[in-house]
């Protein structure tokens, strides 16, 4: 999906240090129009730092970042960006419609254009009935929805969402995901920073995994398990004439074995290839009935990369 | 301009909806109540001598202006010491700064918003006092409005000063520092203090009033050269709020002295405000969230 299109966000060796602590270490990243990019990592990995650098809320120690080909903080390009922070601090004395109007006006949108847009957005996030309610009385989920609406008030070309589905119920998450996909179809680039891995896997075209400020993995979601640096792969086998000898041989070839009754779930060692399994089974005098490679989920990949001692490689 | 208007409106809305504006207004009404009880009458007499109308106007507007200035300055310090810092602390500013506006526009929007709130509160107070004096003395004059507009300029300068300080310092410290700068400039702006340190004998003779006499009696000797240097440095580095307030007070009581405007004092306050605005811009430009 990534062609020769100009990147909306381009970072080169982007680094942010706070004293001796490196919050973000030499990040090289391009985000393209019409893609949903998931930014993953444990707490303190540098996800929010990366977002803040892009938004010019903090300044880089070294390296460069450009938005639409210009340095961040350029007033004209910020009108093309929508942002939903992880913790939404709002002017809580404002009513929902006033809050959206305020942000619309900050984007320089004239009043006659704003009114229908506010109505549409309130309807989109399901808050039409609460338009005259002050934000002070909003629940966490409602605040998240109004925050999402404010991020969309200027019809952005780049949407940066930090934990957008936190506080939302499953229906709300589904609605939000549908909106992301709809925006993607319209060519909007979306950066999703989330801890909900299943959400990322369902929505994102590409994911980047950060650890200790370093981008340790960058891949398209569809090819997550094709990572060349995989240290283990999962496979399910079904065998007849299962014996102790087979189990001993498999034990040497696998990181872990789970017995599911009829089937055995194996996680292979790096030195072992899937094509070695039939030979191992035959050597043990058993009969291989089925061999099913299991695609590694984003969750598996995430835990594997994050828990590995060396932090993995890009 | 749309952005600036939106920022100003939201700031004003904040003070209206949080009832801060109303609370300040009620405190102001208490000030008016005190003023209305201080012997305001059409035929004022001292030692069985009827006081001339001009002297009455001078006296009433002198007192009224002090009340308005005290109220306006205290209110502006109270409001401005956390109007900017609370936005930064609560991270509401972070969301606004991701919008296509400069941080300077944001700062100006906040300052003007607080100024409008203070101006409305002080303005209501001024009108109450104005009509009270007009009703008692039966003299309608335009001069108090001119004097009041000068007070509004003074209030704006104080808001800029304290708001900028609050970016770097805590609310209490910035309010305290702002009050110190204002207080010192107020004292050195007083006629008799200036007269004493400037050593202008003719001027001393003209202002041979009780305070000047007292001061001379107290100090006996002319001020030492060290005191004079100290005074001059303070006079130069502080904004001339005292002089400005003196001009406003005299204008309010339509004294002809006020007509010889002290442009340097206006320039001093303007320069001070500009310097603080530039400092504020620099502070928020390099601020990180």
């Amino acid at each position: 999906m990534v062609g020769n299109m100009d990147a909306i966000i381009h970072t080169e060796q982007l680094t942010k240090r706070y004293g001796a602590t490196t919050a973000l270490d030499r990040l090289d990243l391009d985000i393209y129009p019409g893609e949903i990019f998931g930014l993953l990592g444990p707490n303190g990995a540098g996800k929010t730092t990366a977002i803040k650098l892009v938004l010019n809320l903090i300044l880089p120690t070294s390296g460069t970042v450009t938005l639409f080909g210009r340095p961040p903080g350029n007033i004209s390009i910020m009108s093309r960006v929508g942002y939903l922070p992880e913790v939404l601090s709002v002017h809580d004395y404002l009513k929902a419609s006033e809050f959206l109007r305020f942000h619309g006006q900050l984007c320089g949108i004239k009043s006659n254009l704003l009114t229908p847009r506010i109505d549409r957005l309130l309807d989109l996030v399901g808050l039409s009935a609460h338009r005259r309610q002050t934000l002070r009385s909003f629940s966490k989920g409602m605040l998240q929805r109004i925050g999402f609406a404010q991020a969309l008030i200027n019809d952005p070309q780049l949407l940066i969402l930090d934990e957008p589905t936190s506080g939302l119920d499953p229906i709300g998450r589904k609605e939000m995901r549908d909106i992301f996909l709809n925006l993607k179809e319209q060519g909007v680039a979306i950066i999703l920073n989330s801890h909900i891995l299943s959400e990322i896997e369902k929505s994102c075209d590409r994911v980047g995994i950060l650890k200790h400020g370093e981008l340790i993995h960058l891949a398209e979601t569809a090819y997550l398990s094709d990572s060349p640096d995989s240290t283990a792969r999962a496979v399910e086998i079904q065998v007849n004439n299962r014996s102790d000898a087979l189990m001993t041989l498999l034990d040497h070839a696998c990181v872990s074995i789970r017995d599911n009754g009829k089937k055995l779930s194996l996680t292979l060692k790096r030195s072992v290839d899937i094509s070695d399994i039939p030979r191992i089974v035959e050597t043990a005098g058993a009969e291989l009935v089925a061999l099913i490679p299991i695609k590694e989920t984003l969750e598996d990949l995430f835990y594997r990369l994050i828990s590995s001692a060396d932090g993995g490689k890009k | 301009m749309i952005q600036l208007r939106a920022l100003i409106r939201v700031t004003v809305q904040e003070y209206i909806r949080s009832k801060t504006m109303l609370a300040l207004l009620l405190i102001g009404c208490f000030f008016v109540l005190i003023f209305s009880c201080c012997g305001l009458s059409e035929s004022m007499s001292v030692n069985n001598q009827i006081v001339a109308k001009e002297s009455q106007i001078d006296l009433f507007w002198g007192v009224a202006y002090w009340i308005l200035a005290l109220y306006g300055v205290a209110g502006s310090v109270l409001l401005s010491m956390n109007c900017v810092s609370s936005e930064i602390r609560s991270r509401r500013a972070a969301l606004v700064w991701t919008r296509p506006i400069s941080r300077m526009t944001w700062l100006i929007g906040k300052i003007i918003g607080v100024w409008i709130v203070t101006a409305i509160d002080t303005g209501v107070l001024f009108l109450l006092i104005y009509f009270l004096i007009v009703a008692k003395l039966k003299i309608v004059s335009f001069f108090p409005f001119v004097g009041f507009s000068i007070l509004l300029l003074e209030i704006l300068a104080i808001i800029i000063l304290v708001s900028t300080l609050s970016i770097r310092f805590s609310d209490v410290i910035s309010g305290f520092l702002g009050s110190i700068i204002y207080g010192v400039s107020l004292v050195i702006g007083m006629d008799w203090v200036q007269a004493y340190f400037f050593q202008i004998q003719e001027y001393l003779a003209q202002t041979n009033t009780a305070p000047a006499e007292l001061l001379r009696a107290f100090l006996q000797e002319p001020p030492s050269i060290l005191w004079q240097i100290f005074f001059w440095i303070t006079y130069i580095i502080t904004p001339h709020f005292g002089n400005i307030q003196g001009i406003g007070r005299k204008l309010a009581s339509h004294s002809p002295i006020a007509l010889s405007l002290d442009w340097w004092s206006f320039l001093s306050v303007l320069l001070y405000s500009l310097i603080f605005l530039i400092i504020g811009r620099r502070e928020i430009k390099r601020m990180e969230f």
Side-chain angles (χ1 to χ4, degrees), chain A residues 59 89 93 98 105 150, chain B residues 9 17 90 99 103 288:
Chain A
L59 302 171
S89 298
Y93 49 88
E98 288 174 340
Q105 287 174 335
Q150 71 76 29
Chain B
R9 199 188 57 244
R17 292 191 181 167
S90 68
R99 293 302 185 189
R103 294 184 182 187
E288 296 194 337

Side-chain angles (χ1 to χ4, degrees), chain A residues 1-18:
Chain A
M1 60 150 289
V2 178
N4 291 325
M5 294 175 291
D6 288 332
I8 284 182
I9 296 176
H10 174 70
T11 72
E12 261 181 42
Q13 298 287 297
L14 190 62
T15 303
K16 179 67 185 177
R17 289 195 194 93
Y18 295 101

Side-chain angles (χ1 to χ4, degrees), chain A residues 14-214:
Chain A
L14 190 62
T15 303
K16 179 67 185 177
R17 289 195 194 93
Y18 295 101
T21 310
T22 304
L24 195 67
D25 194 11
R26 291 165 292 155
L27 178 71
D28 289 317
L29 187 65
D30 287 318
I31 308 287
Y32 297 91
E35 80 163 324
I36 305 181
F37 183 85
L39 204 50
L40 297 174
N43 292 332
K47 305 183 297 291
T48 304
T49 302
I51 285 176
K52 285 178 178 175
L53 283 164
V54 167
L55 290 166
N56 198 41
L57 290 175
I58 54 175
L59 302 171
T61 309
S62 62
T64 56
V65 55
T66 56
L67 248 85
F68 301 97
R70 292 186 191 173
N74 182 299
I75 289 174
S76 63
I77 58 164
M78 294 314 281
S79 60
R80 296 151 78 180
V81 180
Y83 169 54
L84 171 64
E86 184 179 2
V87 180
L88 185 69
S89 298
V90 292
H91 301 83
D92 60 4
Y93 49 88
L94 293 179
K95 295 169 185 167
S97 56
E98 288 174 340
F99 177 66
L100 293 183
R101 184 169 295 279
F102 171 54
H103 278 273
Q105 287 174 335
L106 287 182
C107 295
I109 305 166
K110 287 180 181 165
S111 195
N112 57 334
L113 296 173
L114 259 180
T115 308
R117 200 175 288 190
I118 290 168
D119 293 341
R120 179 170 57 81
L121 284 173
L122 284 171
D123 194 40
L124 183 75
V125 298
L127 290 174
S128 290
H130 305 278
R131 59 180 304 133
R132 293 186 194 286
Q133 211 172 310
T134 54
L135 301 183
R136 192 175 288 140
S137 62
F138 271 28
S139 68
K140 195 181 175 215
M142 288 162 82
L143 275 177
Q144 201 69 5
R145 284 165 187 267
I146 197 71
F148 186 56
Q150 71 76 29
L152 295 175
I153 193 75
N154 52 338
D155 282 338
Q157 288 168 272
L158 170 66
L159 196 54
I160 299 175
L161 308 169
D162 204 347
E163 294 291 348
T165 54
S166 72
L168 292 181
D169 54 29
I171 298 168
R173 283 181 189 172
K174 169 80 171 61
E175 287 171 355
M176 201 72 98
R177 194 165 61 237
D178 291 342
I179 297 170
F180 297 158
L181 295 173
N182 188 28
L183 288 167
K184 171 187 147 66
E185 279 175 22
Q186 293 169 34
V188 177
I190 302 173
I191 297 181
L192 272 184
N193 180 359
S194 176
H195 286 114
I196 304 168
L197 301 176
S198 57
E199 284 295 324
I200 293 271
E201 196 165 24
K202 283 174 191 166
S203 312
C204 295
D205 301 305
R206 283 196 303 155
V207 290
I209 299 177
L210 286 165
K211 185 181 177 184
H212 301 316
E214 200 181 340

Side-chain angles (χ1 to χ4, degrees), chain A residues 229-303:
Chain A
D229 56 296
S230 285
T231 54
R233 279 141 298 158
V235 64
E236 265 187 5
I237 59 168
Q238 193 177 340
V239 290
N240 287 339
N241 308 325
R242 201 189 292 185
S243 63
D244 286 346
L246 173 68
M247 295 311 284
T248 309
L249 284 172
L250 286 176
D251 208 32
H252 285 301
C254 299
V255 177
S256 69
I257 301 170
R258 200 167 67 242
D259 192 346
N260 297 333
K262 274 189 175 180
K263 290 176 184 170
L264 291 171
S265 296
L266 314 174
T267 307
L268 305 181
K269 282 182 179 170
R270 191 174 189 175
S271 56
V272 179
D273 195 77
I274 292 177
S275 61
D276 295 332
I277 299 295
R279 186 181 48 77
I280 292 169
V281 173
E282 195 182 332
T283 308
E287 183 194 350
L288 185 66
V289 179
L291 187 148
I292 310 154
I294 306 295
K295 185 186 169 188
E296 189 176 29
T297 63
L298 178 60
E299 196 167 346
D300 296 332
L301 177 74
F302 180 77
Y303 287 124

